[in-house]
Amino acid sequence: MKLFRRRPVLPARSRPPLAAEERILAWSAVGDTAGTDRVVVATNHGLWLPSAVERLGWHEIHKAAWSGRELRITPAEVLVERDGYTVLVDGPEVSFLLLEPGELPDQVRTRVTRSVAYTTYHPLPAGAVRVVGRRVGGRDGLSWAVRYDSDTPADSPEIVEATGELVGAARSATDPRD
């Protein structure tokens, strides 16, 4: 009986190009064959997906779901940059079959959740919006973004003004006091 079970080391050919202060937290081969070069790698800065040339930061993941065999990731995509915040929409969902996931799903859940410092949902004159302040690795302060409900006219001047006021109030509520 083994008391300590060591996780295999990530093969060098599968290692993503990490930043100097970046470290691997968990990884898993993708698919149903062991020894594949296709891996998902979680680091302290984000998630490296198979064949990715850059990582998806924890703050850039809208949704992550684990079915027990499949990891589904919905990244955020920038719709428009506004003064002091970004309007985001869901990007295309990607999924990966992980037969030996190890700690990867838990690390993904923990890191995505930890990146959210502030979130509120507000009805608007037409539709609704979620205001989110997220932590970004290596940066001070919060990154502010909004997600509109699908029926919200996001370009309406009235909606843009109301959203700006909501983000401003959220910033004021989270600014450190002197």
Side-chain angles (χ1 to χ4, degrees), residues 44-144:
N44 54 318
H45 289 268
L47 195 62
W48 290 89
L49 302 177
S51 305
V53 292
E54 58 186 45
R55 90 178 80 76
L56 187 60
W58 296 119
H59 66 286
E60 298 173 308
I61 299 175
H62 264 179
K63 301 173 198 162
W66 173 243
S67 72
R69 287 179 49 102
E70 183 179 52
L71 179 65
R72 290 186 311 281
I73 303 292
T74 305
E77 287 188 354
V78 175
L79 182 64
V80 65
E81 293 278 346
R82 292 190 179 148
D83 188 27
Y85 66 96
T86 304
V87 179
L88 300 175
V89 295
D90 285 350
E93 181 181 276
V94 292
S95 62
F96 306 98
L97 179 64
L98 307 177
L99 296 181
E100 293 185 33
E103 295 180 25
L104 183 68
D106 193 44
Q107 283 291 334
V108 170
R109 180 184 48 79
T110 299
R111 298 287 171 154
V112 169
T113 301
R114 200 180 329 176
S115 75
V116 178
Y118 178 94
T119 182
T120 56
Y121 184 76
H122 302 276
L124 295 169
V129 66
R130 177 164 304 280
V131 177
V132 181
R134 295 187 83 170
R135 294 176 190 92
V136 178
R139 288 197 339 213
D140 288 335
L142 300 178
S143 173
W144 292 94

Side-chain angles (χ1 to χ4, degrees), residues 13 29-37 99-100:
R13 68 183 179 279
V30 174
D32 56 6
T33 58
T36 180
D37 286 344
L99 296 181
E100 293 185 33

